[in-house]
Amino acid sequence: QVQLVESGGGLVQAGGSLRVSCAASGSTLSSYRMNWFRQAPGMEREFVAGISWSLGNTYYADSVKGRFTISRDNAKNTVYLQMNSLKAEDTAVYYCAAGRLTSSVRFMQYWGKGTLVTVSS
């Protein structure tokens, strides 16, 4: 019922910034928490950041606190992840996902196809 499409990935130098976007369509997202996950080759998919659609409460993995900011634009049905001070270890495919009141990778109901972020060092 919900479609998620990521965009904005690309190549960025270490220390630089990049903003990825997740455009949502379909059913209302008012009861969902929108999340960003990432997965590097050979690694587990890990939680990055989340935001409740209705209230805007935010959640961050310790590895990105102070560097990444998640936000949403209700009018555009879009969630953003602003990534600053990027490190080589941030290189991964970044996925947008939606779950009901959860940021657990196991319980996401909808997933985007992902967008690749490559940080060069």
Side-chain angles (χ1 to χ4, degrees):
Q1 297 183 31
V2 175
Q3 295 179 345
L4 306 173
V5 180
E6 303 94 336
S7 63
L11 177 65
V12 62
Q13 295 180 353
S17 298
L18 196 67
R19 188 178 74 167
V20 291
S21 302
C22 173
S25 62
S27 300
T28 179
L29 297 171
S30 61
S31 63
Y32 286 89
R33 184 183 298 177
M34 306 300 296
N35 304 277
W36 287 97
F37 296 85
R38 67 186 183 187
Q39 187 169 24
M43 304 293 290
E44 294 285 325
R45 188 169 299 184
E46 65 175 352
F47 169 76
V48 177
I51 185 168
S52 63
W53 193 263
S54 59
L55 298 178
N57 297 329
T58 58
Y59 312 85
Y60 295 97
D62 288 341
S63 60
V64 305
K65 285 181 179 178
R67 299 190 298 123
F68 291 8
T69 302
I70 189 170
S71 62
R72 87 273 200 242
D73 186 329
N74 291 18
K76 296 181 179 180
N77 285 335
T78 300
V79 178
Y80 305 96
L81 184 67
Q82 178 67 46
M83 301 179 286
N84 299 324
S85 301
L86 282 162
K87 307 173 182 179
E89 50 263 46
D90 294 318
T91 295
V93 176
Y94 282 72
Y95 297 92
C96 181
R100 291 186 177 271
L101 303 178
T102 181
S103 293
S104 174
V105 67
R106 297 173 56 198
F107 300 119
M108 294 297 104
Q109 292 182 282
Y110 306 100
W111 289 91
K113 299 297 183 183
T115 186
L116 177 63
V117 173
T118 303
V119 183
S120 64
S121 59

